[in-house]
Amino acid sequence: MLYDLIDHELIDVINDGNYQWQEAVRKTTQYLEQRGYVSPQYADAIIQSTEENGPYYVLCPGLAMPHARPETGVLKTGLGIHVFPNPVDFGSELGPANILITLAAKDSDTHIEVIQALSEMLVDEENIEKLAQAASKEQVLDIIKAY
């Protein structure tokens, strides 16, 4: 189900260097922007929200779900999954994140199905480990194929 719900063009492994958290947010939202899910302001909104509220979207060690409010540039609901072999430090007490799941939710209802399918996969810590070690987009897709 998750495999069918996610735009596969929003999945990638970002292995071209070390990223500061702001650069990582811009990199992942770029995928959403290029596919018409968000406006260029969305990355700025996530960065501003993080600066004001802290890295509230670091969900557990190794996993972050950067997002901002729908009115800050979301054009349609989408979800990007990006693996960073070099962990990104958001300044969270949970530590850095290798997996960034960038959420663009048009409203509070339309993304619930995707989040439910995603949480089924992420409830198993082994899947988080597998995602963090994925070396290619194809490996990420293979992991989510079961969900």
Side-chain angles (χ1 to χ4, degrees), residues 97-131:
N98 288 80
I99 306 159
L100 273 66
I101 299 173
T102 309
L103 175 64
K106 184 72 176 139
D107 57 52
S108 59
D109 296 329
T110 55
H111 69 289
I112 290 176
E113 190 178 19
V114 175
I115 295 295
Q116 286 174 334
L118 183 65
S119 58
E120 283 179 34
M121 178 179 74
L122 297 176
V123 75
D124 184 347
E125 287 183 30
E126 191 176 306
N127 286 329
I128 296 173
E129 273 185 46
K130 286 180 189 174
L131 282 172

Side-chain angles (χ1 to χ4, degrees):
M1 168 136 66
L2 181 62
Y3 184 82
D4 297 324
L5 291 172
I6 293 181
D7 180 343
H8 296 188
E9 295 303 313
L10 300 178
I11 297 171
D12 208 355
V13 174
I14 313 292
N15 55 12
D16 60 354
N18 294 316
Y19 283 83
Q20 297 297 316
W21 70 266
Q22 298 92 331
E23 298 168 324
V25 165
R26 290 195 190 287
K27 183 77 170 181
T28 60
T29 55
Q30 202 173 50
Y31 285 77
L32 292 161
E33 185 183 335
Q34 289 169 349
R35 302 278 296 165
Y37 289 89
V38 300
S39 70
Q41 295 79 17
Y42 193 62
D44 294 331
I46 295 172
I47 291 168
Q48 182 179 350
S49 179
T50 306
E51 289 170 346
E52 292 172 2
N53 304 306
Y56 55 90
Y57 47 72
V58 177
L59 305 178
C60 63
L63 178 67
M65 187 181 284
H67 61 281
R69 302 213 29 92
E71 64 271 12
T72 60
V74 178
L75 304 173
K76 61 183 179 180
T77 298
L79 185 93
I81 300 176
H82 295 91
V83 177
F84 288 77
N86 297 319
V88 177
D89 185 1
F90 288 92
S92 170
E93 50 192 49
L94 294 173
N98 288 80
I99 306 159
L100 273 66
I101 299 173
T102 309
L103 175 64
K106 184 72 176 139
D107 57 52
S108 59
D109 296 329
T110 55
H111 69 289
I112 290 176
E113 190 178 19
V114 175
I115 295 295
Q116 286 174 334
L118 183 65
S119 58
E120 283 179 34
M121 178 179 74
L122 297 176
V123 75
D124 184 347
E125 287 183 30
E126 191 176 306
N127 286 329
I128 296 173
E129 273 185 46
K130 286 180 189 174
L131 282 172
Q133 295 171 5
S136 69
K137 174 180 178 170
E138 292 72 27
Q139 287 181 346
V140 175
L141 286 168
D142 283 344
I143 294 163
I144 68 169
K145 206 174 266 186
Y147 298 90

